[in-house]
């Protein structure tokens, strides 16, 4: 038995052209393994192909080329088993307005062939905090509640893998925290493999064990979050002086800039120059230093440097 929850080989998707416009190559040959039990982040700018990839996993979009194995089952050879292994919370709010949350879960369970005796609708509603809305029409639910219902629907067949497509885009902080609490619990208590896309790099940094970045339909990098972060060599030293600094001093190994508050920012690579030398340089400018702090570059910097269009 493989240790990978997902194995993707040579995955390509071309959307047929609309009138007059060329065909869209949304995915251009992606190879990707996602380990069982991980919380995996799929990052990339808008239009990168994240939803296309996720919708292919979910069986909602038909791939053009390549192979997808889900929990060891080839999607084409064993469509039923591969579908049963995965639950997807889509990016779009596509709910039937005339079903209550409980009704929607029962229908979904029926679609997945979950026998009545094994259904856990009430337990799932409890988990996502919708118990008191169990019998309200979906159309009367707030945006946040609809999102929670989408999460609930993804869980009815107790999938091994839970996929969340931008689950926290545009939701308030409270709901975001609730979603993350649930996701962590499912991962830790049930060993569920979690795959998510997010725009919030901070969130990916905090939540994910492993991260893949895609851009324009191609995989840019895949690594553990720790390794990705440790690859970042850049640091900034922010210097506040007794008097506001007005001139930007020049140095071949340091890029300098001024902030509105009169502080000087010295950005450098740790492999090029030591912090001591940077500080020495600042002193040599006759700056009366009041305060110094350093800022570590973060995932945002990696992301920007890797997805810069070429
Ligand atoms: P992401 O989720 O990373 O923002 P998508 O997978 O939604 O990216 O889209 C990738 C590219 O494919 C985009 O250029 C988008 O316009 C295009 N695309 C997505 N869905 C369709 C579709 N149904 N028909 C044609 N083009 C599409
Ligand atoms: Mg998307």
């Amino acid at each position: 038995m493989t240790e990978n929850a997902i194995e993707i080989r040579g995955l390509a998707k071309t959307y047929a052209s609309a009138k007059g416009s060329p065909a869209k190559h949304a995915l251009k040959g992606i190879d990707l393994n996602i380990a069982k039990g991980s919380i995996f982040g799929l990052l990339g700018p808008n239009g990168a192909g994240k939803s296309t990839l996720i919708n292919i996993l979910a069986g909602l979009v038909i791939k053009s080329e390549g192979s997808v194995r889900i929990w060891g089952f080839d999607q084409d050879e064993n469509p039923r088993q591969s579908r049963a292994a995965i639950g997807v919370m889509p990016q779009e709010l596509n709910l039937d307005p005339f079903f209550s949350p409980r009704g929607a879960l029962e229908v979904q369970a029926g679609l997945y062939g979950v026998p009545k005796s094994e259904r856990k609708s009430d337990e799932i509603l409890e988990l996502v905090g919708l118990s008191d809305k169990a019998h309200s029409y979906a159309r009367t639910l707030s945006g946040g509640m609809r999102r929670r219902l989408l999460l609930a629907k993804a869980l009815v067949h107790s999938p091994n893998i839970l996929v969340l497509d931008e689950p926290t885009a545009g939701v308030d902080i409270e709901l975001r925290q609730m979603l993350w609490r649930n996701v962590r619990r499912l991962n830790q208590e049930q060993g569920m493999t979690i795959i998510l896309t997010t725009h919030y790099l901070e969130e990916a940094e905090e939540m994910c064990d492993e991260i893949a970045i895609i851009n324009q339909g191609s995989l840019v990098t895949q690594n553990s979050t720790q390794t990705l972060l440790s690859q970042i060599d850049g640091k900034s030293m922010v210097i506040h002086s007794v008097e506001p600094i007005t001139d930007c001093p020049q140095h071949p190994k340091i890029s300098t800039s001024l902030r509105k508050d009169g502080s000087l920012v010295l950005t450098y690579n740790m492999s090029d120059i030591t912090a001591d030398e940077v500080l020495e340089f600042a002193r040599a400018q006759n700056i009366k230093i009041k305060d110094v702090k350093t800022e570590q570059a973060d995932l945002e910097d990696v992301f920007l440097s890797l997805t810069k269009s070429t």
Side-chain angles (χ1 to χ4, degrees), residues 267-283:
T267 303
Y268 59 99
N269 284 332
M270 287 180 279
S271 52
D272 286 348
I273 185 168
T274 66
D276 206 33
E277 289 171 293
V278 176
L279 201 55
E280 200 53 45
F281 170 67
R283 285 219 186 82

Side-chain angles (χ1 to χ4, degrees), residues 245-296:
I245 302 165
T246 48
D247 288 326
C248 240
Q250 303 293 311
H251 188 286
K253 289 180 179 170
I254 304 172
S255 68
T256 52
S257 62
L258 293 173
R259 285 194 180 159
K260 282 202 190 90
D261 63 1
S263 60
L264 173 67
V265 185
L266 304 167
T267 303
Y268 59 99
N269 284 332
M270 287 180 279
S271 52
D272 286 348
I273 185 168
T274 66
D276 206 33
E277 289 171 293
V278 176
L279 201 55
E280 200 53 45
F281 170 67
R283 285 219 186 82
Q285 311 305 311
N286 281 324
I287 296 171
K288 278 219 176 83
I289 297 173
K290 189 166 90 182
D291 181 39
V292 179
K293 71 176 197 266
T294 56
E295 292 175 0
Q296 181 81 50

Side-chain angles (χ1 to χ4, degrees), residues 2-294:
T2 164
E3 288 308 304
N4 289 321
I6 303 271
E7 291 178 353
I8 292 171
R9 292 291 173 274
L11 185 65
K13 173 65 188 179
T14 306
Y15 289 108
S17 57
K19 245 182 290 164
S21 62
K24 176 76 208 174
H25 298 287
L27 296 176
K28 302 171 183 166
I30 299 242
D31 296 321
L32 191 63
N33 289 337
I34 299 178
K36 285 182 180 172
S38 60
I39 301 186
F40 189 95
L42 188 62
L43 305 187
N46 254 328
K50 304 181 296 294
S51 292
T52 299
L53 192 152
I54 274 173
N55 289 334
I56 290 172
L57 295 181
L60 300 169
V61 166
I62 311 282
K63 60 184 178 278
S64 307
E65 279 171 51
S67 71
V68 172
R69 291 181 88 80
I70 301 175
W71 217 253
F73 297 108
D74 184 279
Q75 195 178 40
D76 301 322
E77 291 164 14
N78 299 91
R80 208 176 54 78
Q81 288 98 322
S82 71
R83 213 168 89 88
I86 196 166
V88 178
M89 176 182 173
Q91 187 169 4
E92 262 128 56
L93 293 169
N94 55 347
L95 289 167
D96 189 320
F98 296 104
F99 280 113
S100 67
R102 199 168 191 294
L105 293 195
E106 287 294 312
V107 168
Q108 184 82 357
L111 286 175
Y112 277 91
V114 182
K116 280 226 157 64
S117 61
E118 289 173 24
R119 293 187 189 171
K120 296 185 284 187
S121 301
D122 294 323
E123 195 182 310
I124 295 171
L125 287 172
E126 177 78 44
L127 177 81
V128 301
L130 278 180
S131 296
D132 54 337
K133 295 283 175 188
H135 301 289
S136 316
Y137 279 135
R139 65 183 153 85
T140 67
L141 302 178
S142 69
M145 290 175 189
R146 287 175 197 211
R147 238 166 236 287
R148 287 189 253 165
L149 178 53
L150 285 177
L151 173 63
K153 279 179 72 179
L155 295 171
V156 293
H157 56 297
S158 311
N160 294 317
I161 307 167
L162 174 66
V163 181
L164 310 133
D165 195 2
E166 310 241 3
T168 58
V171 312
D172 60 36
I173 289 182
E174 204 180 330
L175 177 56
R176 189 183 302 177
Q177 287 174 346
M178 189 245 194
L179 279 167
W180 292 136
R181 251 196 330 271
N182 282 337
V183 163
R184 278 218 179 88
R185 257 180 71 187
L186 291 165
N187 177 256
Q188 283 166 4
E189 291 172 16
Q190 300 182 29
M192 204 177 272
T193 304
I194 312 283
I195 303 169
L196 59 97
T197 71
T198 177
H199 262 87
Y200 301 105
L201 295 169
E202 225 175 278
E203 195 163 80
E205 216 173 297
E206 192 194 328
M207 289 288 299
C208 302
D209 315 318
E210 180 122 351
I211 285 174
I213 298 179
I214 63 172
N215 191 32
Q216 298 182 14
S218 300
L219 189 72
V220 180
T221 188
Q222 179 189 357
N223 226 317
S224 74
T225 309
Q226 275 311 312
T227 307
L228 269 183
L229 289 172
S230 70
Q231 279 170 358
I232 313 167
D233 188 32
K235 255 199 174 217
S236 291
M237 194 179 281
V238 184
I239 296 186
H240 287 269
S241 99
V242 178
E243 322 231 296
I245 302 165
T246 48
D247 288 326
C248 240
Q250 303 293 311
H251 188 286
K253 289 180 179 170
I254 304 172
S255 68
T256 52
S257 62
L258 293 173
R259 285 194 180 159
K260 282 202 190 90
D261 63 1
S263 60
L264 173 67
V265 185
L266 304 167
T267 303
Y268 59 99
N269 284 332
M270 287 180 279
S271 52
D272 286 348
I273 185 168
T274 66
D276 206 33
E277 289 171 293
V278 176
L279 201 55
E280 200 53 45
F281 170 67
R283 285 219 186 82
Q285 311 305 311
N286 281 324
I287 296 171
K288 278 219 176 83
I289 297 173
K290 189 166 90 182
D291 181 39
V292 179
K293 71 176 197 266
T294 56

